[in-house]
């Protein structure tokens, strides 16, 4: 296996962006009513992370068919380190309550395009 730091350096040397973000896949760990009970606090927490710039993207995911809601979600954090991203995930009321559990991974963005930043719930737009 290649060390993450070595791969990142190699990606940068070939001209890739090598932007490091952190992705949490969040899955229900308790009953649906437990998840629903934590939802208002979870959404308020997400909105605060969005306002501070720590939240890049978040939302639910479908099942493999794309037809049904599976209950899985994905949260993409901007953080200084894996430990800092883990603290963001740990402080999410959904995870604190045990209603959901998560798996956190580093994500390196090498290709793609982005033209502006849009705060989805705050309606804040920044052109960069």
């Amino acid at each position: 296996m290649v060390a993450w730091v070595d791969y990142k350096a190699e990606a940068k040397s070939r001209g890739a962006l090598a932007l490091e973000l952190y992705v949490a896949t969040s899955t229900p760990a308790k009953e649906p009513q437990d998840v629903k009970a934590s939802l208002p606090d979870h959404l308020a927490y997400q909105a605060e992370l969005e306002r501070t710039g720590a939240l890049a993207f978040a939302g639910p995911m479908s099942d493999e068919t794309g037809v049904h809601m599976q209950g899985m979600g994905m949260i993409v954090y901007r953080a200084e380190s894996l430990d800092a991203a883990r603290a963001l995930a740990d402080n999410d009321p959904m995870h604190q309550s045990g209603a959901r559990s998560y798996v956190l991974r580093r994500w390196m963005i090498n290709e793609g395009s982005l033209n502006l930043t849009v705060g989805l719930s705050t309606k804040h737009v920044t052109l960069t």
Side-chain angles (χ1 to χ4, degrees):
M1 249 191 257
V2 177
W4 182 265
V5 294
D6 295 339
Y7 185 82
K8 186 173 181 178
E10 180 186 322
K12 279 186 170 193
S13 75
R14 67 175 181 264
L17 178 61
L19 172 64
E20 192 170 311
L21 298 177
Y22 302 88
V23 177
T25 51
S26 180
T27 55
K30 290 186 177 177
E31 297 300 316
Q33 62 269 20
D34 298 310
V35 173
K36 206 172 217 179
S38 294
L39 189 59
D41 291 337
H42 164 74
L43 294 176
Y45 180 72
Q46 298 279 64
E48 180 58 26
L49 292 183
E50 184 179 296
R51 275 189 285 284
T52 65
L55 180 67
F57 304 103
M61 299 172 69
S62 72
D63 68 356
E64 294 85 357
T65 69
V67 175
H68 301 284
M69 173 59 81
Q70 186 175 29
M72 178 184 273
M74 185 171 78
I75 306 163
V76 182
Y77 299 109
R78 291 183 192 95
E80 293 296 316
S81 66
L82 186 61
D83 288 338
R86 189 173 322 284
L88 293 172
D90 285 344
N91 287 321
D92 187 317
M94 196 67 80
H95 300 141
Q96 282 184 334
S97 72
R100 289 177 160 277
S101 62
Y102 71 89
V103 173
L104 185 67
R105 296 177 188 264
R106 287 175 159 173
W107 179 32
M108 188 184 313
I109 299 174
N110 287 334
E111 297 87 18
S113 63
L114 183 63
N115 299 314
L116 59 111
T117 301
V118 178
L120 300 178
S121 65
T122 60
K123 298 178 178 69
H124 177 78
V125 179
T126 305
L127 182 61
T128 57

